[in-house]
Amino acid sequence: MLNTEFVCQKHLDYCVAQATQTLAQLPDNSLIPRNIPPDEKKWNLVDYEDWTSGFWPGILWQLYEYTNDVAWKSKAEHYSQLLIPLSGRPAIDHDIGFQVYNSIGHGHRLTKNSAYKEILLKSAHSLADLFNPKVGTILSWPVMVEKMNWPHNTIIDNMINLELLFWAGRNGGSRALHDIAVKHAETTMNNHFREDCTTYHVVVYDPLTGKKIKGVTHQGYADDSLWARGQAWAIYGFTMVYRETDDARFLDFAQKVTDVYLERLPKDRIPYWDFDAPDILKQPRDASAAAATASALLELSAYVPDAEKAAYYRDQAVKMIQVLSTEAFQSRNQNSAFLLHSTGHYPNGSEIDYAIIYADYYYLEALLRLHKLQNKQAKD
Ligand code: GLY
């Protein structure tokens, strides 16, 4: 049974109110909100090229889904349109999935607009062009080939973008797209994790032999540390791959990567940005990792056959959402984001303890998933 005391509607209405304020703040409708520094009020804006550009239109689509109000649809359409140039050129990196699927993917799901379908299919094919069959994964960051001397590199975040390939494989794209996504997930499962099922951020491969060279970090504390959002991407990614493949290996693995994350969380279930950072109690949190994990656990709990374990995952997800919905994490007294306290790229000194748009996106997704579960339970 779900914890029914938590009233999603109140928090979804909060998201509506906050997003309404953000819209009023946006200057000319051509730029997209990305982050707000601590104690500031105004969003820093980016253009469609930024890896986070899909999350704001994705939020708008989900608010349309929640409210059924065409005013949100019209805003979602507008901000989705800004991303169209991404599908008219070869993918620069794996982020095309985050950009296009988390925005126009919702647009297509909710409207069935055939123009959106074309954009998604083109984007999926261009993402697939980064696949190296010798390695069995997508080259996540072409720019790092020279810059870091990482001749073929795959990052754990890339798991999320397999969803675009699976979708395209089911919706008129080449069947190879599905096979590439499965192969990428298998190779990642075999090479990206330590004995204890914690993930490396980056794995570097030899592009000619396909051999793994090393596991390293880019956004984590150390090569061997557990970067919180990386593990969140793994939890979300393998849960989604199980949904798309029905292959029990992925369900089993999704649970393994989840269990180690849950075991190592602090009491309030919101991770510090890296589980292994020194002097951990003084480190900034990453609410974005908590939000993505909460959303993923609601999905995972629906697939796990062991009723007790399923209830455990659901309960953990609800508790994470509850903590994110407390004053300590909500932005309402400071700015118009939904959540405070995310960490983008600590080693770079960027977005430390910020409000960040993808935290809001996954928080809203988690609230909507919980809301649907509660509604279903009320009807059953
Ligand atoms: N995908 C980039 C990040 O999680 O920061």
Side-chain angles (χ1 to χ4, degrees):
M1 286 291 278
L2 277 173
N3 177 340
T4 46
E5 279 167 26
F6 181 76
V7 184
C8 284
Q9 207 169 329
K10 176 175 149 202
H11 301 285
L12 286 162
D13 290 346
Y14 159 76
C15 295
V16 171
Q18 295 291 98
T20 303
Q21 283 185 39
T22 294
L23 277 174
Q25 221 194 77
L26 296 179
D28 62 0
N29 290 348
S30 67
L31 293 173
I32 300 164
R34 169 163 173 154
N35 64 46
I36 310 178
D39 302 321
E40 291 193 20
K41 290 200 174 317
K42 278 182 69 174
W43 285 97
N44 289 316
L45 307 175
V46 292
D47 69 14
Y48 70 91
E49 304 260 10
D50 192 88
W51 84 270
T52 65
S53 61
F55 294 114
W56 172 240
I59 285 170
L60 296 169
W61 281 117
Q62 292 187 85
L63 291 178
Y64 167 54
E65 182 178 10
Y66 171 59
T67 59
N68 217 13
D69 177 345
V70 288
W72 289 110
K73 182 180 178 209
S74 142
K75 292 293 178 190
E77 279 169 341
H78 168 78
Y79 283 96
S80 296
Q81 295 281 333
L82 297 180
L83 307 186
I84 291 176
L86 293 170
S87 66
R89 65 175 197 205
I92 294 170
D93 55 34
H94 78 109
D95 285 327
I96 187 139
F98 278 116
Q99 292 164 307
V100 170
Y101 193 73
N102 290 351
S103 54
I104 291 168
H106 285 294
H108 183 263
R109 180 173 64 83
L110 296 170
T111 67
K112 302 291 174 243
N113 181 337
S114 59
Y116 290 154
K117 182 171 175 177
E118 285 315 304
I119 293 163
L120 291 165
L121 288 174
K122 272 205 228 165
S123 302
H125 281 101
S126 89
L127 174 59
D129 287 341
L130 295 174
F131 181 71
N132 177 331
K134 196 78 204 173
V135 178
T137 65
I138 288 164
L139 169 61
S140 303
W141 281 335
V143 71
M144 296 299 202
V145 170
E146 296 253 310
K147 198 169 162 190
M148 296 297 292
N149 194 19
W150 291 343
H152 179 95
N153 58 77
T154 299
I155 65 171
I156 192 64
D157 326 28
N158 201 145
M159 284 298 300
I160 304 297
N161 298 321
L162 305 182
E163 194 165 5
L164 173 63
L165 301 182
F166 283 121
W167 178 91
R170 277 188 279 107
N171 285 278
S174 152
R175 175 72 194 174
L177 299 174
H178 172 98
D179 297 343
I180 286 171
V182 173
K183 186 70 191 166
H184 181 110
E186 281 171 351
T187 311
T188 300
M189 186 164 68
N190 293 334
N191 292 328
H192 226 97
F193 292 83
R194 308 176 189 104
E195 286 275 291
D196 64 355
C197 292
T198 60
T199 185
Y200 289 103
H201 185 194
V202 186
V203 170
V204 181
Y205 295 93
D206 182 324
L208 302 177
T209 64
K211 286 224 167 77
K212 174 177 169 179
I213 299 172
K214 59 184 175 181
V216 290
T217 198
H218 184 62
Q219 283 164 254
Y221 168 67
D223 290 344
D224 277 322
S225 70
L226 177 51
W227 175 48
R229 199 164 54 258
Q231 198 74 13
W233 294 143
I235 294 166
Y236 195 109
F238 282 100
T239 300
M240 174 274 296
V241 172
Y242 172 67
R243 179 216 309 149
E244 295 290 344
T245 59
D246 218 13
D247 181 335
R249 288 174 309 153
F250 295 125
L251 180 58
D252 183 51
F253 197 64
Q255 293 177 72
K256 288 190 169 130
V257 299
T258 298
D259 292 342
V260 62
Y261 176 96
L262 293 178
E263 276 158 26
R264 294 193 55 188
L265 279 177
K267 250 206 179 104
D268 68 4
R269 297 179 180 79
I270 312 300
Y272 296 91
W273 71 280
D274 189 306
F275 286 77
D276 296 305
D279 214 354
I280 194 76
L281 298 179
K282 295 200 174 129
Q283 296 290 339
R285 304 290 187 128
D286 185 10
S288 75
T293 301
S295 183
L297 290 190
L298 289 175
E299 178 169 20
L300 182 60
S301 68
Y303 304 147
V304 171
D306 174 342
E308 210 173 296
K309 187 125 193 235
Y312 166 66
Y313 287 148
R314 215 161 36 227
D315 183 55
Q316 293 296 308
V318 174
K319 287 183 168 138
M320 288 170 200
I321 297 168
Q322 277 176 315
V323 176
L324 291 173
S325 302
T326 58
E327 285 305 309
F329 284 93
Q330 302 264 292
S331 295
R332 62 164 65 76
N333 294 328
Q334 291 190 33
N335 57 52
S336 67
F338 304 161
L339 294 181
L340 302 169
H341 306 313
S342 292
T343 297
H345 191 154
Y346 189 98
N348 216 20
S350 61
E351 295 180 315
I352 298 172
D353 201 27
Y354 275 42
I356 308 182
I357 196 72
Y358 46 83
D360 289 5
Y361 173 93
Y362 287 104
Y363 175 64
L364 176 57
E365 183 183 84
L367 281 172
L368 274 173
R369 283 181 173 180
L370 184 57
H371 189 50
K372 285 176 195 167
L373 280 172
Q374 288 178 337
N375 283 344
K376 185 171 172 298
Q377 187 173 286
K379 280 192 198 123
D380 286 350

